[in-house]
Amino acid sequence: MSPLFPALTGTPAERPALRFGDRGLTYGELGTAAGALAERIRGTGRIAVWATPALETAVGVVAALLAGVAAVPLNPKSGEKELGHILSDSAPSLVLAAPGDELPSPLRDLDRIDVDVLATTGTVPEDQTQDDDPALVVYTSGTTGPPKGAVIPRRAVATTLDALADAWQWTEDDVLVHALPLFHVHGLILGILGPLRRGGSVRHLGRFDTEGVARELSSGATMLFGVPTMYHRIAEALPTDPTLAKALAGARLLVSGSAALPVHDHERIATATGRRVIERYGMTETLMNTSVRADGEPRAGTVGVPLPGVELRLVEDDGTPLTAHDGESVGEIQVRGPNLFTEYLNRPDATAAAFTPDGWFRTGDMAVRDADGYVRIVGRKATDLIKSGGYKIGAGEIENALLEHPAVREAAVTGEPDPDLGERVVAWIVPADPQSPPAAEELASHVAARLAPHKRPRTVHYLTSLPRNDMGKIMKRALRAHD
Ligand code: MCA
Ligand code: AMP
């Protein structure tokens, strides 16, 4: 196919491409470093990338894409169980990491290449890939069981980024700032590969804080990407931070995604800055589906209209498509288009279940459509999926982890509303010994160490039994009555 990053050869070499803190690379330097690494890894199987928020991750992923090798970005805070699962499922041939990064035990058995961002000998290879070749395998939680690896083809990356360029008038003149993790679609594909495909640049903050956002937007950055938790923290800071308000007011585009941005935060930001945040809606499996357009009406509470090339419909429970765009009829969002993933790795059952016979992907998100086509997400089919800080977390995987703790006899996990995180992971447990229940911090650390810190329960409730129906199934709605 045509190259994913034409700017690596077609842009003046001295133009800035990437910046992480005080380290950065121009297009010329990126082409050389990624080209050198691509030469070393060409022809290997899938490769894992230790996806710290650092220059090496960006160079490693670009190199994999140049070499036509699928990259599997790993959350560097993954616990042993999660990491073990991802490694055995994706079977990478080697791992890319930054020099000096210490890798946990399951990764030490793999061949390792340290990413040299200052390599001076490489050249950008000619693209010999096909549209359907896998670009990335990104792990995403389901309601039960361990995370599934969504295989994302090169075509999906190219088309989604070009559709966003159209919707957002995103050009090589844009300078993006963000602090998103680099092991998910939002931070990696949109936040790193997006600017590189355009020939523009990105400045990554390493970790999110409002000072960093204000600093970068006041010194040349034009766009901000974030999850709602980040915009919530911005909204909280604005009344006492005129520098931040001025910086946001000067931005070309403020984009939120990965979860719903509450209307209250939309309004607070608009009041303090005169700028409206626009929302886009996507999923690991589909990349981006809809967005409020830069030239459209930025209506709070909606995720805008389908992106070019994306077919979107709402269907009733029995699969009948809804024809009314009345802002009231609720249906499941189904999508079709070149933006879709190919399959869940090693999971033909899950892949088959995710699609209708005629190729529509079932998102599980419930929505209405306004008369002018704007989509409003109103909920989710599965109550066992939790969105916390923009991370998708399956209740089942946390329940399993909790049940592996010797002091837990029964466990249920729910997502409860949280002003900062959107939803908070809440555990409801029946201790093995009611006289000495495990401490909440102990259970949080247990889950953080096995899965990932963002999956840890933030609140733990102790019960003598879990409410169950006649079939023995836990009635999660009844749990809240115990709160
Ligand atoms: C706390 N920590 C712990 C424990 N407690 N570590 C181990 N054991 C414990 N018991 C540590 C954490 O590791 C972390 O370390 C620090 O404490 C704070 O963690 P946490 O409380 O989880 O962070 P936060 O401040 O609440 O984070 C908020 C956040 C984050 C920055 C907004 O949630 C975030 O980055 N979200 C982005 C999610 C995202 O990108 N989603 C995209 C997927 P340390 O201090 O070292 O960090 S969705 C997607 O891709 C689709 C396609 C889409 O539509 O976008
Ligand atoms: P993930 O599977 O982690 O990629 O998360 C995808 C899910 O995030 C979607 O299925 C939606 O439920 C949710 N999501 C993403 N963007 C938005 C948005 N702008 N508004 C509401 N929900 C969103």
Side-chain angles (χ1 to χ4, degrees):
M1 66 183 268
S2 50
L4 275 177
F5 306 113
L8 282 179
T9 48
T11 299
E14 64 285 0
R15 213 178 148 85
L18 300 165
R19 206 175 86 195
F20 287 77
D22 53 10
R23 300 164 73 218
L25 291 179
T26 62
Y27 273 92
E29 291 163 338
L30 175 60
T32 306
L37 182 53
E39 217 162 287
R40 290 182 69 184
I41 60 179
R42 180 186 295 284
T44 61
R46 274 188 286 274
I47 59 166
V49 180
W50 189 243
T52 55
L55 209 46
E56 283 79 3
T57 301
V59 172
V61 171
V62 171
L65 291 167
L66 290 179
V69 168
V72 186
L74 302 175
N75 176 354
K77 291 202 184 117
S78 277
E80 52 196 91
K81 188 174 174 179
E82 186 168 285
L83 198 55
H85 164 70
I86 293 175
L87 292 177
S88 67
D89 191 52
S90 62
S93 58
L94 56 88
V95 57
L96 300 181
D101 272 356
E102 188 147 339
L103 302 184
S105 59
L107 278 166
R108 285 192 215 126
D109 302 336
L110 272 182
D111 284 343
R112 164 179 180 155
I113 296 183
D114 281 344
V115 178
D116 178 6
V117 301
L118 300 175
T120 50
T121 53
T123 50
V124 177
E126 213 157 281
D127 197 296
Q128 293 170 354
T129 61
Q130 306 293 316
D131 281 12
D132 284 345
D133 289 351
L136 292 147
V137 181
V138 178
Y139 278 80
T140 182
S141 292
T143 50
T144 56
K148 302 185 289 271
V151 179
I152 298 170
R154 299 174 75 91
R155 158 185 37 82
V157 174
T159 54
T160 227
L161 293 177
D162 293 349
L164 292 177
D166 178 79
W168 297 343
Q169 298 167 3
W170 188 358
T171 71
E172 61 180 9
D173 295 330
D174 279 305
V175 178
L176 172 66
V177 56
H178 73 89
L180 294 156
L182 301 188
F183 44 87
H184 278 309
V185 166
H186 194 170
L188 181 60
I189 299 187
L190 272 59
I192 299 290
L193 305 185
L196 297 180
R197 185 158 171 87
R198 297 278 69 81
S201 69
V202 51
R203 302 179 189 168
H204 195 284
L205 295 175
R207 64 182 306 147
F208 177 81
D209 61 37
T210 54
E211 291 76 20
V213 169
R215 185 185 64 240
E216 298 305 332
L217 287 177
S218 312
S219 59
T222 62
M223 297 168 84
L224 171 67
F225 289 177
V227 294
T229 300
M230 296 171 181
Y231 283 103
H232 175 77
R233 293 177 186 180
I234 286 172
E236 293 278 290
L238 278 170
T240 54
D241 189 345
T243 315
L244 180 64
K246 192 160 170 249
L248 289 173
R252 189 180 75 75
L253 210 61
L254 309 171
V255 187
S256 174
S258 301
L261 180 63
V263 171
H264 178 56
D265 288 332
H266 268 288
E267 297 307 339
R268 289 197 293 172
I269 293 170
T271 305
T273 69
R275 301 302 310 275
R276 294 227 160 243
V277 177
I278 66 167
E279 283 194 75
R280 94 294 182 285
Y281 157 63
M283 221 175 149
T284 304
E285 292 89 335
T286 66
L287 305 190
M288 294 303 116
N289 296 313
T290 71
S291 183
V292 172
R293 297 182 58 90
D295 57 3
E297 186 199 338
R299 213 176 295 162
T302 94
V303 293
V305 294
L307 289 165
V310 178
E311 287 181 86
L312 182 145
R313 67 181 190 180
L314 304 183
V315 299
E316 294 184 65
D317 276 351
D318 65 2
T320 313
L322 288 171
T323 45
H325 289 183
D326 55 7
E328 277 177 23
S329 309
V330 178
E332 181 192 7
I333 302 176
Q334 296 190 344
V335 290
R336 210 160 60 169
N339 53 317
L340 262 53
F341 77 136
T342 331
E343 58 167 346
Y344 294 116
L345 196 64
N346 306 321
R347 294 293 306 276
D349 55 330
T351 307
F355 289 92
T356 67
D358 45 356
W360 292 88
F361 176 74
R362 310 173 203 269
T363 66
D365 292 310
M366 306 300 289
V368 301
R369 268 184 108 167
D370 291 344
D372 53 7
Y374 272 58
V375 176
R376 268 173 213 276
I377 297 177
V378 296
R380 201 182 301 126
K381 256 188 153 166
T383 47
D384 276 348
L385 282 180
I386 300 161
K387 265 271 161 165
S388 187
Y391 287 113
K392 184 190 268 186
I393 304 169
E397 57 179 326
I398 308 175
E399 287 159 1
N400 289 338
L402 287 169
L403 288 169
E404 280 162 354
H405 191 286
V408 174
R409 196 170 79 210
E410 291 182 78
V413 165
T414 59
E416 306 298 333
D418 184 278
D420 181 47
L421 296 170
E423 287 183 299
R424 175 175 76 244
V425 175
V426 174
W428 309 76
I429 67 142
V430 178
D433 176 2
Q435 301 309 314
S436 60
E441 303 78 58
E442 156 76 16
L443 294 176
S445 295
H446 171 79
V447 173
R450 295 184 76 68
L451 302 178
H454 67 262
K455 297 182 178 176
R456 72 191 188 275
R458 311 268 174 155
T459 310
V460 178
H461 294 291
Y462 301 89
L463 305 175
T464 50
S465 64
L466 295 179
R468 292 180 187 270
N469 66 14
D470 294 344
M471 312 288 289
K473 192 170 179 290
I474 299 167
M475 296 189 296
K476 294 207 173 171
R477 285 184 212 286
L479 283 170
R480 283 162 205 148
H482 291 263
D483 208 350

